[in-house]
Amino acid sequence: MTQAQEAILLVGGKGTRLRPLTVNTPKPMVPAAGVPFLTHQLARARAAGVEHIVLATSYLAEVFEPYFGDGSSMGLELEYVTEVEPLGTGGAIRNVASRLRSGPDEPVLIFNGDILTGLDIRALVDTHQRSGAEVSLHLTRVADPRAFGLVPTDEQGRVTAFLEKPQTPEEIVTDQINAGAYVFRRSVIDSIPAGRPVSVERETFPELLSSGAHLQGMVDSTYWLDLGTPQAFVRGSADLVLGRAPSPAVPGRHGDRLVLPTATVAPDAKLTDGTVVGEGASVGEGARVSGSTVLDGAVIEPGAVITDSLIGARARVGARSVLSGAVVGDDAVIGADNELREGVRVWCDATLPAGSIRFSSDQ
């Protein structure tokens, strides 16, 4: 099987859909299963034989290098390129081209920094080499493709069109979507216009197709999740802990819970469904935490019930408060006896007094 020796990781997005998680932290550095999400992507690329990775950074670019350094601790060689002005997916890829070492016909892997996937990376590279394509795309099948760009293919897997998010039932001609991982022939990267924003989805790929270039799709319907929303991010972290999503970087055994070494959990507290408790965090007596992420230094007071939620670093959830599908920003304080339901986002440093938000009587 052929290997791609190098990769580009697109980690420049602002993560606006994830706010307030991304107020102080770029999206790829938000912890999933106890380590920054990016760690899982780097570890999977390394396991597939990649040695050199260029990170295309933009938003909060200064936090990546102090954490990962030169990559040697993970057996990788990492480089960092920062966009001064956001350049889109294609522009970001072109912007780091000078750091690549591959020859014109060699394969370069490209990953979006917010996709959690079980993709067989080696198989994608192999498909690319065997088909002789200029670009190969990881495609996945989804039940409701309306939120995604559709990518129909012929019997040989060759891409026939790129269709923007379909608006009517007639426009849904396939359930195959662009899953955010690609293999580019190096020469194609060099042909992307430099110094201006370019979208690979809306400009590069359609132009390649209309010029008669060969774009190959490989459908791999193993685990796939776009971590763009807080609910998806929390689910992805839980699935990593549970072992549903594969990663060599989970710091511990798979199971119902992942409690990092300096965390404290009361003996009668219940942690289930892939819950993570971060370094220095504490969970009080009788608390029940299910499918949730409690980040470093956060405090869950006795009797709180937290489901499918993310509690930011150093935040505090008061006694008996009930949270479901909630996001609590870093350093926020939720007083005792509050009820917070699906979709609520409490901003960093905010304080909710005791009993100030409820969906039921206080009696």
Side-chain angles (χ1 to χ4, degrees):
M1 226 185 219
T2 43
Q3 276 180 214
Q5 304 290 310
E6 60 183 356
I8 299 169
L9 253 169
L10 303 173
V11 291
K14 285 190 172 169
T16 47
R17 289 186 297 158
L18 276 180
R19 288 171 68 87
L21 294 183
T22 48
V23 170
N24 302 317
T25 310
K27 178 166 51 176
M29 295 299 286
V30 177
V35 294
F37 174 67
L38 182 55
T39 313
H40 301 290
Q41 290 188 305
L42 293 173
R44 294 197 74 247
R46 181 71 197 93
V50 175
E51 294 165 9
H52 175 229
I53 299 182
V54 187
L55 276 71
T57 67
S58 177
Y59 176 66
L60 296 177
E62 65 279 359
V63 306
F64 293 95
E65 193 165 358
Y67 188 91
F68 291 105
D70 63 2
S72 55
S73 64
M74 298 185 73
L76 286 163
E77 191 182 343
L78 297 182
E79 290 189 67
Y80 305 84
V81 177
T82 302
E83 295 164 39
V84 185
E85 294 289 323
L87 293 168
T89 44
I93 292 165
R94 180 65 180 86
N95 193 46
V96 306
S98 62
R99 304 294 183 94
L100 299 174
R101 300 162 192 165
S102 303
D105 292 326
E106 290 183 314
V108 178
L109 274 158
I110 298 173
F111 301 103
N112 275 339
D114 52 4
I115 302 292
L116 178 60
T117 172
L119 165 71
D120 184 337
I121 298 170
R122 288 177 190 263
L124 181 63
V125 178
D126 206 42
T127 297
H128 176 79
Q129 300 288 67
R130 270 206 322 269
S131 66
E134 271 89 356
V135 178
S136 298
L137 298 87
H138 169 207
L139 307 179
T140 192
R141 293 193 169 101
V142 291
D144 182 2
R146 284 175 302 182
F148 304 97
L150 307 186
V151 187
T153 51
D154 67 14
E155 294 77 40
Q156 283 75 47
R158 194 164 173 154
V159 174
T160 56
F162 288 92
L163 307 172
E164 274 305 300
K165 296 171 183 174
Q167 304 302 313
T168 64
E170 295 76 39
E171 290 175 23
I172 303 176
V173 296
T174 179
D175 59 355
Q176 295 176 179
I177 65 161
N178 176 356
Y182 318 109
V183 183
F184 274 65
R185 191 183 290 175
R186 165 66 198 270
S187 56
V188 175
I189 293 174
D190 293 327
S191 73
I192 297 171
R196 69 169 176 85
V198 179
S199 160
V200 288
E201 299 87 354
R202 287 190 285 278
E203 185 177 336
T204 309
F205 293 159
E207 283 180 6
L208 281 167
L209 209 55
S210 64
S211 73
H214 179 175
L215 281 76
Q216 186 72 18
M218 185 188 90
V219 177
D220 179 319
S221 292
T222 51
Y223 187 97
W224 185 86
L225 187 64
D226 174 350
L227 301 186
T229 65
Q231 282 64 37
F233 201 96
V234 170
R235 184 74 256 151
S237 175
D239 285 345
L240 282 161
V241 174
L242 292 164
R244 292 177 186 155
S247 166
V250 177
R253 290 197 314 264
H254 290 140
D256 245 5
R257 54 194 273 173
L258 173 63
V259 179
L260 294 186
T262 56
T264 53
V265 177
D268 66 343
K270 262 192 89 169
L271 308 178
T272 57
D273 197 23
T275 286
V276 182
V277 182
E279 297 279 2
S282 68
V283 179
E285 294 157 9
R288 302 204 306 276
V289 188
S290 169
S292 298
T293 295
V294 179
L295 292 183
D296 294 1
V299 176
I300 310 301
E301 292 185 2
V305 180
I306 299 174
T307 308
D308 300 340
S309 297
L310 195 143
I311 312 302
R314 301 168 306 280
R316 178 178 287 268
V317 176
R320 299 170 304 282
S321 281
V322 178
L323 279 64
S324 177
V327 179
V328 177
D330 299 342
D331 299 292
V333 177
I334 310 294
D337 300 302
N338 277 292
E339 293 177 12
L340 302 179
R341 287 209 189 152
E342 269 64 32
V344 71
R345 304 180 190 217
V346 179
W347 238 248
C348 301
D349 302 301
T351 298
L352 288 185
S356 58
I357 296 183
R358 301 195 56 86
F359 287 82
S360 63
S361 161
D362 60 343
Q363 299 298 311

